[in-house]
Amino acid sequence: KEYHGKHEWTSEIYKALKNTFKLHSFRDNQLNAINATLSGDDVFVLMPTGGGKSLCYQLPAIIKSGVTSGVTIVISPLISLMEDQVSHLLNMNIKAAMLNSKMALSERKSYFARFIQGDIDLMYLSPEMISKSEQSKRAIKSLYDNGKLARIVIDEAHCVSAWGHDFRPDYKQLKFFKNEYPDIPMMAL
């Protein structure tokens, strides 16, 4: 499906591209993926390393005029990758945070509170936080019940393949999102 053309959010995404992300144009297929997720559709993004996959979900997370609004949850397999992305987003004044089991309890409590309130644009979670943390599931349900769950992003989605060397068993549990929240768009990268 093609999502080119003008949408109610078109001017807002170009403004965010230029002013927030300091970019002047989109790379191949980025705009199509962004428009698809802002339309509320599921998206599969296949791009090479360095192809600009992150922008496909980071930019829509700060757009307020799409069909979807609220928190974008990003499932990412590596804490170091999450730390880098959150740091980069915070430097651009984008409300981003991460939750993982290695954080101090007080820090986790603070982020969970902001997460439940919907006071974060992008929340990075490890797949283990979804499969093993009932608190994470309750927070997501609360967001959903309050209309503040915009989309679920599965980064490094190749980790779900048992045939690959990066296989993570907890990625198989991510079907939880489609089972519990079938109307929330997912993006797999």
Side-chain angles (χ1 to χ4, degrees):
K1 191 171 176 181
E2 289 293 320
Y3 293 90
H4 298 292
K6 246 175 142 19
H7 301 275
E8 65 183 80
W9 54 82
T10 298
S11 62
E12 191 179 355
I13 62 173
Y14 278 99
K15 183 178 176 185
L17 180 72
K18 181 181 177 187
N19 297 337
T20 303
F21 291 92
K22 309 295 185 218
L23 298 169
H24 300 289
S25 62
F26 290 104
R27 293 182 186 172
D28 288 345
N29 300 314
Q30 284 179 322
L31 182 58
N32 204 36
I34 289 167
N35 283 331
T37 195
L38 288 171
S39 295
D41 290 336
D42 292 335
V43 183
F44 177 74
V45 178
L46 178 62
M47 291 181 183
T49 301
K53 293 183 290 292
S54 297
L55 187 71
C56 294
Y57 62 86
Q58 290 173 347
L59 191 148
I62 63 170
I63 300 301
K64 305 303 178 203
S65 56
V67 173
T68 60
S69 64
V71 179
T72 293
I73 295 175
V74 182
I75 309 302
S76 183
L78 300 170
I79 291 174
S80 61
L81 179 62
M82 288 190 270
E83 289 172 340
D84 288 349
Q85 295 225 351
V86 168
S87 175
H88 179 68
L89 292 165
L90 290 173
N91 285 337
M92 292 188 289
N93 295 316
I94 294 174
K95 293 187 275 182
M98 62 181 273
L99 283 166
N100 65 63
S101 57
K102 293 184 169 53
M103 298 172 90
L105 183 60
S106 60
E107 190 178 21
R108 253 196 330 238
K109 276 185 170 181
S110 171
Y111 284 128
F112 264 116
R114 288 182 61 208
F115 184 29
I116 290 169
Q117 293 168 3
D119 184 37
I120 290 175
D121 294 320
L122 288 123
M123 175 57 82
Y124 287 76
L125 302 170
S126 68
E128 291 78 15
M129 285 296 285
I130 300 301
S131 66
K132 295 181 174 79
S133 170
E134 288 303 315
Q135 187 177 19
S136 291
K137 289 179 181 176
R138 284 192 303 273
I140 294 164
K141 182 171 180 359
S142 176
L143 284 174
Y144 179 78
D145 290 346
N146 292 312
K148 294 181 178 180
L149 181 59
R151 73 191 46 79
I152 307 298
V153 175
I154 311 298
D155 200 9
E156 308 295 338
H158 63 276
C159 292
V160 78
S161 172
W163 298 102
H165 67 281
D166 291 332
F167 175 62
R168 293 279 287 272
D170 289 294
Y171 264 72
K172 291 177 87 174
Q173 302 306 314
L174 298 180
K175 63 185 174 192
F176 155 82
F177 289 112
K178 269 302 169 197
N179 292 339
E180 295 295 317
Y181 312 111
D183 56 322
I184 298 299
M186 291 187 77
M187 179 181 278
L189 301 107

